[in-house]
Amino acid sequence: MTKTYNATGINLKSMPLGEADRLVTILTPEWGLIRVVAPGSRKQNSKLAGRMGLFVVNQLLIYKGRSLDKITQAETLESYPGLAKDLGKLAASQYLAELVLCHALSEQPQAELYTLFNEHLRRLEQLPPLSSSPSGTSLLLAHLCQGIFHLLALAGIAPQVQQCCISQHPIQPDFTDQNWQVGFSVEAGGTYTLAVEASQPENRFHPVANRSQGVAQSPLPRLTCKLNAVELTIVQQLAAAELSQMSRDAIAPLWVKVERMLRDYAQYHFGRSIRSAALVDALAMSAES
């Protein structure tokens, strides 16, 4: 049985190990998520040092060890230097990487996830710098939201936004009514028409109060937020392969709302917080000020 194997992989995160090594978490299309040692990569003269950077894609030769596998050779195929030069792009990329880490499996092929993640990194890198474009923040958040939605869809847990998650009836935004809205519930898995909620007795909206009163808990979802016609349309279009012109023209506060909604949804369904979101929040605050 051979003790070496080949893999193509993109570095998602790393941490120091011992005096000079790194433990690197890598997404590969062939083997899924792997954690391998990069021997001596923290030394300045190491050939592996530059190849173990964040979001660097390498062709790897790996030695299978008893507890941890070790990289013996690495040849860089691609990198995304533009991401490190822009704090907003880097934050969005790290955000998507955290979702990938929540989703990816080990010892199973992950070719589709690998391709999708690299595609969204390319899109982020190709965006204009935030400082050089008035719409830079809006575009960055729009691409981040689409990346989140695509990753959720690939994981099989994307929110229902085309139909009511209670009645399963299609939802069409009504632009003729300026007060038209739908509800969005993280717990229920997507959007629902407020007409469904309005048709229920008031005491069924408050599960906490109901428990204290000995009343049966409401089957209605806990409301996360409400979406108007424009906001719902934007969210419905996230499933498309490319951002629509309407999405590209949307203002930053709209995308701030959508990102926070999708973040709550992802954190609830993956059961983990997204630490990189703090940097996105800082970016959003600067856009709103």
Side-chain angles (χ1 to χ4, degrees):
M1 183 176 178
T2 180
K3 293 205 171 186
T4 61
Y5 62 95
N6 293 290
T8 303
I10 181 167
N11 304 332
L12 298 183
K13 70 174 185 178
S14 69
M15 59 183 294
L17 182 68
E19 295 183 359
D21 302 342
R22 285 189 181 277
L23 181 62
V24 189
T25 303
I26 302 173
L27 176 67
T28 73
E30 307 95 340
W31 309 101
L33 205 62
I34 61 174
R35 297 171 76 236
V36 294
V37 178
S41 57
R42 289 162 58 203
K43 296 179 179 179
Q44 291 184 350
N45 60 349
S46 170
K47 293 183 179 180
L48 291 179
R51 294 175 170 85
M52 294 301 107
L54 191 62
F55 306 135
V56 176
V57 180
N58 294 297
Q59 181 65 46
L60 304 166
L61 180 63
I62 303 171
Y63 176 82
K64 196 165 187 62
R66 289 184 178 180
S67 56
L68 288 171
D69 297 353
K70 294 184 179 182
I71 298 173
T72 58
Q73 293 180 26
E75 179 182 352
T76 298
L77 303 177
E78 188 176 5
S79 62
Y80 300 94
L83 298 178
K85 297 176 182 178
D86 187 296
L87 182 59
K89 293 181 184 182
L90 181 60
S93 301
Q94 290 175 323
Y95 190 126
L96 295 182
E98 286 193 57
L99 291 181
V100 169
L101 287 168
C102 291
H103 175 196
L105 301 174
S106 300
E107 299 182 359
Q108 293 189 36
Q110 302 280 271
E112 195 172 358
L113 178 60
Y114 175 85
T115 300
L116 179 65
F117 180 57
N118 275 277
E119 174 59 29
H120 279 286
L121 290 186
R122 291 187 192 98
R123 295 182 185 187
L124 289 171
E125 186 179 44
Q126 291 168 4
L127 291 175
L130 299 188
S131 58
S132 68
S133 173
S135 61
T137 301
S138 300
L139 278 174
L140 179 70
L141 291 173
H143 278 82
L144 172 60
C145 287
Q146 189 174 48
I148 296 169
F149 197 95
H150 284 180
L151 288 171
L152 290 172
L154 186 59
I157 58 171
Q160 285 189 343
V161 295
Q162 304 294 340
Q163 58 192 24
C164 174
C165 62
I166 299 174
S167 68
Q168 300 304 311
H169 293 157
I171 299 180
Q172 296 293 334
D174 185 358
F175 289 92
T176 64
D177 181 0
Q178 63 178 358
N179 296 318
W180 185 91
Q181 290 181 311
V182 294
F184 184 92
S185 170
V186 163
E187 296 177 4
T191 53
Y192 65 95
T193 57
L194 297 178
V196 173
E197 181 179 275
S199 68
Q200 302 295 324
E202 182 178 356
N203 66 354
R204 297 180 72 189
F205 299 164
H206 306 286
V208 174
N210 288 341
R211 283 197 295 270
S212 66
Q213 298 165 14
V215 180
Q217 186 171 347
S218 169
L220 289 175
R222 188 186 300 274
L223 179 68
T224 301
C225 66
K226 293 181 180 180
L227 302 172
N228 62 29
V230 173
E231 292 165 345
L232 177 61
T233 301
I234 290 293
V235 173
Q236 288 179 333
Q237 292 174 348
L238 289 176
E242 302 286 343
L243 286 173
S244 67
Q245 190 58 50
M246 180 180 182
S247 298
R248 293 176 180 276
D249 293 339
I251 60 176
L254 185 153
W255 285 116
V256 169
K257 178 179 180 178
V258 172
E259 182 278 318
R260 288 175 180 166
M261 180 188 79
L262 292 176
R263 184 199 311 178
D264 289 343
Y265 184 91
Q267 290 180 153
Y268 177 83
H269 287 276
F270 282 129
R272 291 174 56 180
S273 62
I274 303 169
R275 290 183 294 179
S276 301
L279 295 174
V280 174
D281 285 338
L283 177 67
M285 287 180 61
S286 65
E288 292 175 330
S289 61

